[in-house]
Amino acid sequence: MIPITVVDVADAEPLVLEVLRSGSIAQGPMVKRLEDAFAAVAGVPHAIAVNNGTTALVASLQALDLQPGDEVITSPFTFVATLNAILEAGATARFADIRVDDFCIDPDAVAAQITPRTKVLMPVHLYGQTADMGKLAPLAAEHGLKLVEDSAQAVGATFEGQPAGSFGIGCFSLYATKNVTTAEGGMITTSDDALADKLRVLRNQGMRARYQYEMAGHNYRLTDLHAAVGIPQLEKLEQLTEARRHNASVLAEGLAGVPGLTVPSVLPGRTHVWHQFTVLVGDDAAVTRDELAAKLTERGIGNGIYYPKVVFDYDCYRENPGVIASDVPVASQVARQALSLPVHPKLTEAELATIVTNVREVFGA
């Protein structure tokens, strides 16, 4: 089986052993080292490590002191953590449709969803390419909205040279399958000194110093053990990303021209870090998306459907008063057609050729 993703953290062994031998494995100097490296990648002065990517979103919203009834506009085509974080922070989620060319929230659709209760705009930089921040950031500023970037899949991606996570509050996931992983972990990035200070106190049970409580806080801390796993990956992030870009280019070239199959592209002014290589299987294609997924699995080629429905289209959200569903035809179409193929750095040229050959065979191309 050619897996959809491969987790390789062998380079972390020396740092992990260093932490174990130190006798201090909770949040400490290794976390600070990871934060400093991450801040450099995001092009901001502050990076605050937390225990997972969902926590990064929750803590960022909590730090903005949202009140009941305050609304957050986000994408309907995302992992459920985006929506869950909004609800956990006590806010109301409202959705704007996406664009088919980048799978990200459509600035024009956002503008139509803004109400007097809107307080936050939360774009999702999906699959490794940023949303259209050239339009979204000014739109947020025009309406006095806070900008929280769900950058879980976009570490190292840029828009017009500016890194994801530097336009507002950046929220990253360091989960096992992400481009940079600590097994479980998350990171918040910001240029706001006061906000960074607040987040550091918030993640530590509201303590600035031991038993010096300044707010009702939480245990959102990351451990030095986890940080040690991630540091070597950040040090070679460009190398890992270039491997993903090479693989994506091979797949895109090899699958070009297949009738009914749309391959992803890098839009002008953006860099793509290829967390996923996601194709669209058109309604007029020789096979459906689900048929393609099944046939590739039979042939030993891993694949993934990210995501099978728009995020609010589940029973547990339909009657939730904190969820305001909307008509999102583009997101609904993409959810029906999207399939991700392997693009991770461990792929060989032979495996890339196998993927291309088998996809074309399934399509009869």
Side-chain angles (χ1 to χ4, degrees):
M1 175 69 73
I2 300 174
I4 183 68
T5 189
V6 170
V7 178
D8 180 6
V9 294
D11 290 350
E13 184 176 349
L15 287 183
V16 171
L17 287 173
E18 180 181 332
V19 173
L20 290 173
R21 289 165 178 161
S22 74
S24 178
I25 62 175
Q27 181 177 300
M30 207 65 75
V31 169
K32 178 63 164 59
R33 183 171 163 183
L34 179 70
E35 289 175 332
D36 290 345
F38 210 100
V41 169
V44 296
H46 303 288
I48 302 93
V50 291
N51 53 11
N52 59 64
T54 307
T55 295
L57 293 168
V58 172
S60 297
L61 294 173
Q62 289 173 333
L64 296 178
D65 296 321
L66 299 180
Q67 302 300 309
D70 287 349
E71 295 179 357
V72 179
I73 297 177
T74 193
S75 171
F77 189 61
T78 180
F79 183 54
V80 72
T82 309
L83 174 53
N84 285 342
I86 295 169
L87 297 177
E88 185 172 342
T92 297
R94 184 180 286 272
F95 302 90
D97 208 356
I98 65 171
R99 289 177 9 186
V100 73
D101 57 353
D102 61 8
F103 304 112
C104 298
I105 200 166
D106 184 340
D108 293 335
V110 170
Q113 290 294 328
I114 295 174
T115 76
R117 290 188 168 187
T118 307
K119 295 296 187 294
V120 177
L121 172 56
M122 185 185 285
V124 179
H125 304 321
L126 203 65
Y127 300 146
Q129 186 167 221
T130 72
D132 188 351
M133 301 310 294
K135 293 182 178 179
L136 291 171
L139 183 63
E142 177 187 350
H143 292 274
L145 308 180
K146 297 295 184 181
L147 189 59
V148 177
E149 302 168 65
D150 185 338
S151 307
Q153 302 179 2
V155 58
T158 63
F159 182 93
E160 301 290 354
Q162 185 171 343
S166 67
F167 292 86
I169 306 173
C171 299
F172 295 84
S173 170
L174 302 176
Y175 180 64
T177 58
K178 295 300 189 290
N179 292 25
V180 173
T181 177
T182 58
E184 284 281 8
M187 194 71 69
I188 306 169
T189 55
T190 180
S191 296
D192 187 321
D193 296 346
L195 180 65
D197 180 70
K198 186 174 184 179
L199 285 165
R200 291 190 177 102
V201 173
L202 178 66
R203 77 171 169 186
N204 191 36
Q205 298 289 11
M207 293 188 292
R208 182 171 300 281
R210 193 163 180 80
Y211 302 129
Q212 179 186 334
Y213 301 104
E214 296 190 2
M215 66 178 71
H218 306 270
N219 177 2
Y220 289 157
R221 296 184 297 266
L222 188 71
T223 72
D224 267 15
L225 275 175
H226 286 91
V229 173
I231 290 168
Q233 296 164 63
L234 277 177
E235 292 174 346
K236 60 178 183 180
L237 179 60
E238 190 55 37
Q239 173 189 339
L240 293 170
T241 303
E242 282 304 315
R244 288 177 178 273
R245 287 175 177 150
H246 167 75
N247 295 345
S249 68
V250 172
L251 292 173
E253 181 177 351
L255 296 175
V258 175
L261 187 71
T262 301
V263 298
S265 61
V266 183
L267 298 186
R270 308 188 209 187
T271 62
H272 206 312
V273 298
W274 297 105
H275 174 62
Q276 299 289 351
F277 183 91
T278 302
V279 299
L280 295 177
V281 181
D283 294 341
D284 59 344
V287 294
T288 67
R289 185 272 309 278
D290 292 349
E291 288 171 342
L292 174 61
K295 289 181 181 296
L296 290 179
T297 300
E298 290 172 2
R299 292 165 177 242
I301 297 172
N303 56 86
I305 297 174
Y306 312 113
Y307 302 94
K309 295 183 179 181
V310 294
V311 73
F312 54 77
D313 189 20
Y314 295 88
D315 290 344
C316 57
Y317 299 115
R318 290 193 185 99
E319 303 302 323
N320 191 311
V323 177
I324 301 176
S326 57
D327 186 28
V328 288
V330 178
S332 298
Q333 172 192 325
V334 169
R336 188 177 66 250
Q337 297 180 344
L339 184 72
S340 293
L341 303 174
V343 74
H344 57 80
K346 291 297 181 178
L347 289 168
T348 66
E349 295 299 321
E351 287 173 330
L352 289 167
T354 296
I355 295 168
V356 169
T357 297
N358 279 274
V359 170
R360 297 190 73 94
E361 286 180 356
V362 171
F363 274 83

